[in-house]
Amino acid sequence: MPAVNSPHLIKPGSRFDIRATKTHGDNYHPSRKEAEEQFEELREELIQWQYKLYAEQKQKLLVVLQAMDAGGKDGTIRKVFTGVNPQGVEVTSFKVPSKEELSHDFLWRIHKAAPATGMIGVFNRSHYEDVLVVRVENIVPESVWRPRYETINHFEKLLADAGTRIVKFYLHISRDEQKERFQERLDNPGKHWKFSMDDLRKREQWDDYMDAYEDALNNCSTNHALWYVIPADSKWYRNYAITKILVETLRDMNPDYPESEDDLSGVVIE
Ligand code: ATP
Ligand code: MG
């Protein structure tokens, strides 16, 4: 599968160092104003591609979003997919697994949510939680989570073989940026619902999470399901970079309107 070239791609087999990777987009785009304009153009193009993907009914696109709390998953979904036909996009948010979900293997609930033909599926959190929070919180022992990297690679290969293009984004924010966003949520009563004390506990485990993310991304950026690390401290750059990669992916998938099954050449409407 041809990789969409991007400075944020983790090349399979290469070694990504999370602490050496910038969280600021300013390093990658010289002008905020230009990036915002380009984002609007790319977003329009995304809408056109999604229309064709849905009409064609042959391929599907899975977009995985992972980030620390306040990393911008919700905002990304809101901004990037504004204007796309809701009928062709399905967003699934993965929360703490229910009792029923826990009584199955960890991919059971994920597989059910994978996009159908013609659809764009967006995962707000994903099966990667099972090697992130589950590892950091010691929910299962290492002997259980460690083999999951390989299981995930096999699972994603299965989806790819069934015609799914998979693009995975880790929204990379700094610990300082997270502090600012939490503070904003605390200061604004309209954002209190987005804040939980659990977020602070997880913030204390920042280093453990960085280790877990680094391993997950290094082990699971494969030719059939690549990881991109998006500098996400500035939202304008995050939106631009993600939309650019999605549009370039769709250009490569190149969905097209299908021919009608009927011969329409002589049709006259009375
Ligand atoms: P927001 O950014 O708005 O807070 P969120 O994605 O954090 O949204 P929450 O309901 O706050 O949504 O949290 C969902 C929680 O579920 C997260 O803390 C996440 O780590 C946890 N979670 C998701 N999948 C699993 C899993 N497989 N095992 C354990 N916990 C999980
Ligand atoms: Mg949360």
Side-chain angles (χ1 to χ4, degrees):
M1 191 171 299
V4 166
N5 221 353
S6 161
H8 310 308
L9 171 69
I10 301 183
K11 292 203 177 72
S14 69
R15 185 86 211 143
F16 145 74
D17 178 346
I18 200 164
R19 290 173 179 84
T21 305
K22 295 191 165 60
T23 55
H24 268 290
D26 325 29
N27 305 293
Y28 296 98
H29 202 299
S31 154
R32 172 176 180 164
K33 191 167 167 288
E34 261 175 52
E36 283 171 346
E37 285 164 10
Q38 287 163 350
F39 165 62
E40 287 304 326
E41 285 165 22
L42 288 164
R43 207 171 56 72
E44 286 298 323
E45 191 178 334
L46 179 71
I47 291 169
Q48 301 305 321
W49 282 120
Q50 186 254 345
Y51 203 66
K52 287 185 173 174
L53 185 80
Y54 188 73
E56 183 193 59
Q57 285 294 313
K58 279 193 184 149
Q59 316 175 66
K60 39 226 175 207
L61 175 62
L62 171 61
V63 181
V64 172
L65 292 173
Q66 283 288 158
M68 293 296 285
D69 289 299
K73 296 183 276 55
D74 292 354
T76 298
I77 295 168
R78 210 170 50 239
K79 294 287 182 191
V80 171
F81 293 99
T82 292
V84 297
N85 180 358
Q87 195 156 232
V89 180
E90 191 175 13
V91 180
T92 311
S93 298
F94 292 98
K95 309 284 183 184
V96 177
S98 67
K99 211 172 156 207
E100 189 193 15
E101 287 168 344
L102 281 175
S103 73
H104 293 271
D105 67 87
F106 76 102
L107 292 172
W108 181 72
R109 65 175 184 161
I110 309 292
H111 204 168
K112 279 203 294 186
T117 306
M119 298 291 292
I120 298 180
V122 182
F123 284 180
N124 182 350
R125 301 190 188 269
S126 65
H127 42 305
Y128 284 92
E129 293 292 322
D130 292 278
V131 287
L132 295 166
V133 64
V134 166
R135 162 177 166 171
V136 173
E137 301 279 351
N138 276 310
I139 295 173
V140 299
E142 181 168 355
S143 60
V144 174
W145 61 255
R146 174 82 50 194
R148 285 181 176 171
Y149 299 125
E150 208 187 330
T151 308
I152 288 173
N153 289 340
H154 284 299
F155 167 66
E156 292 176 349
K157 178 80 166 54
L158 171 80
L159 298 183
D161 288 346
T164 314
R165 186 67 78 98
I166 306 169
V167 186
K168 301 178 289 191
F169 296 110
Y170 163 57
L171 313 182
H172 189 34
I173 59 164
S174 65
R175 202 165 178 265
D176 287 347
E177 178 66 22
Q178 189 195 48
K179 183 179 178 183
E180 275 185 34
R181 293 187 187 181
F182 279 169
Q183 193 60 52
E184 207 183 304
R185 289 178 179 186
L186 282 176
D187 295 344
N188 179 348
K191 288 193 174 176
H192 282 179
W193 64 278
K194 274 188 162 267
F195 188 84
S196 78
M197 294 308 284
D198 190 52
D199 292 350
L200 291 186
R201 211 176 42 75
K202 279 181 166 168
R203 179 174 164 78
E204 281 169 24
Q205 297 163 306
W206 186 273
D207 270 331
D208 293 342
Y209 273 102
M210 290 303 108
D211 289 342
Y213 266 106
E214 191 173 83
D215 284 350
L217 272 55
N218 277 319
N219 288 326
C220 299
S221 194
T222 58
N223 282 321
H224 55 270
L226 294 160
W227 269 109
Y228 295 87
V229 180
I230 305 296
D233 278 356
S234 25
K235 295 171 185 174
W236 61 267
Y237 184 76
R238 174 200 78 195
N239 296 339
Y240 158 79
I242 289 179
T243 313
K244 186 163 187 280
I245 291 165
L246 288 178
V247 163
E248 287 176 3
T249 301
L250 281 156
R251 281 181 196 157
D252 189 60
M253 292 168 79
N254 198 22
D256 203 356
Y257 299 116
E259 295 288 331
S260 170
E261 285 171 15
D262 301 316
D263 178 9
L264 303 181
S265 54
V267 175
V268 178
I269 302 170
E270 300 277 323

